[in-house]
Amino acid sequence: MAPHLFRVGSLLVDRDRWISSATVAVRRGRIVGLAAGDAAGRRLARKAGGAVADLGPGVLAPGWVDAHAHLELGALHGRLPARAFGAWVGQLVKARAACSREELRAGLRADADRLLAGGTTAVGDNDALGLAAGLLRRHPLRARVFREALDAGDPARTSAVLRRVQPGRPAPRLAFGVAPHAPFTVSPTLARRLATLARRRRLPLSIHFAESRDERQWLLRGTGPLARLMPGESPRREGLELLEEAGLLGRRTLLVHANLPGPGDRERIQRAGATVVHCPGSHRWFRRPAFDLAGWLEAGVPVALGTDSSASNAELDMGREVALAAEAHPAVDVAVLLDCATRAGAEALGLGTGRLTEGAPLDAYLTEARVRSRRAALELLVRGRPGIRAVLIGGERAWDDGSQVVPAILRP
Ligand SMILES: [Zn+2]
């Protein structure tokens, strides 16, 4: 079966490799050949046999990987004024309860479409309402849906929660995971049983961790704004200790936020091989103190980026997230930031994407702007928020700006 071939101004494979005048061969959605320069491109086309489509002078870049979203909260976009975490949680619960299933579904689709149009090709999505998998099964985005579990310390809820979080039927672009909501909202029994489920079914875990001062105050002392909302007793322990004890900390764990780790947490997380997920837009929304990105990276902890939800972010756009990270952390190299927003997230989500290497699925977006070097490509993609002409997922056109620069179907 002849592959599809196309030529593009340049192609960024990953943080380290940029190809000028690139030709790409794609078969069954995966990259099967890459050539640098026109002569090598003609040889690849002759060998593969087939016409070459020209995608123009822009950059073909690895699609963004949003390692943490709550697409089901799309309906709340722009509706929650609070910036203090405790008050925001209360508003969120009320506003979500006031939405019909239809509104929630429409919001979910709108947020998935927003992500896609911004060049995101894969998402790790927390699902508490049971709506996400049904929609994402029919959406071009590649997704890992983490079923969210929370019993607020009430043992009477544990069994029902466990039934609800069982993984669904996977699809070519849809996989499942488990999201114990946070160390302070999951009882020790539920935490242990979720760890067993994840181990048996080989599912990754996504956990909100050390997000706010309020959370830490309640976990360690049982005081602060969350004391009013939490029905049970404070464990008077560090969140990470609770996760470790339950068996929830390992290589397939994503720790979301990690704004306020306890003493020694960073080293324990590094040893466990877990990934930290930073959400720059949500961080700014709650006006949190500076995130220690350089500290995590220096400690050897992989850091992925995420959008969090439309209830705590002004936009759902990974290009904006990486630009916000670059603005807040000017000393961190743009190559490292690109890696956080692509490969690191993809590896943590276990999706086999995040780089445009041979054998990988062609999950990419195409920019309008052209560049003349790897450095210029990294600067453009990370800080420049370039206009996007088209988005490809699994070698198929998933979105375009109306220009139809990419042929409709690149399969087989
Ligand atoms: Zn979240």
Side-chain angles (χ1 to χ4, degrees), residues 68-70 126 148 208 211 256-257 279 308-309:
H68 181 70
H70 302 254
N126 268 39
E148 200 169 87
H208 294 104
E211 181 175 9
V256 182
H257 302 305
C279 302
D308 218 341
S309 82

Side-chain angles (χ1 to χ4, degrees), residues 142-373:
R142 201 179 289 285
R144 186 169 296 273
V145 170
F146 290 95
R147 307 268 209 209
E148 200 169 87
L150 171 159
D151 63 359
D154 178 357
R157 291 169 65 177
T158 308
S159 308
V161 171
L162 275 166
R163 274 196 301 279
R164 216 195 55 74
V165 299
Q166 297 297 320
R169 186 169 45 84
R173 291 201 289 250
L174 176 66
F176 288 88
V178 184
H181 174 263
F184 70 104
T185 52
V186 170
S187 67
T189 310
L190 179 58
R192 272 195 307 276
R193 294 179 67 177
L194 293 171
T196 306
L197 171 69
R199 206 170 42 244
R200 285 201 184 132
R201 306 288 298 262
R202 303 181 58 80
L203 301 170
L205 292 153
S206 182
I207 310 168
H208 294 104
F209 168 69
E211 181 175 9
S212 70
R213 230 169 271 290
D214 296 358
E215 166 188 340
R216 197 166 159 72
Q217 212 180 347
W218 188 82
L219 270 175
L220 292 176
R221 292 189 295 278
T223 57
L226 288 180
R228 274 186 299 115
L229 298 167
M230 298 300 298
E233 283 280 294
S234 157
R236 298 181 193 272
R237 304 274 300 281
E238 288 285 354
L240 196 70
E241 280 175 26
L242 299 173
L243 298 181
E244 260 189 318
E245 215 166 81
L248 288 171
L249 184 67
R251 299 198 70 79
R252 298 155 80 90
T253 305
L254 291 88
L255 295 170
V256 182
H257 302 305
N259 294 327
L260 300 162
D265 279 4
R266 188 169 289 170
E267 293 68 28
R268 285 151 82 180
I269 291 168
Q270 189 275 330
R271 279 198 300 274
T275 296
V276 158
V277 182
H278 173 49
C279 302
S282 177
H283 204 83
R284 172 178 284 210
W285 174 275
F286 289 118
R287 302 194 182 101
R288 304 227 186 270
F291 177 72
D292 189 12
L293 178 59
W296 286 106
L297 293 168
E298 273 159 27
V301 175
V303 178
L305 298 186
T307 55
D308 218 341
S309 82
S310 272
S312 66
N313 201 347
E315 289 174 50
L316 231 66
D317 179 352
M318 279 296 291
R320 172 172 173 268
E321 297 297 329
V322 74
L324 286 176
E327 195 184 311
H329 306 280
V332 177
D333 190 343
V334 284
V336 172
L337 292 171
L338 180 110
D339 193 55
C340 292
T342 53
R343 184 204 54 81
E347 275 187 18
L349 294 173
L351 293 176
T353 63
R355 302 167 72 210
L356 299 182
T357 48
E358 281 190 35
L362 181 68
D363 286 12
Y365 63 91
L366 177 68
T367 70
E368 284 167 17
R370 65 180 81 191
V371 296
R372 297 193 181 283
S373 67

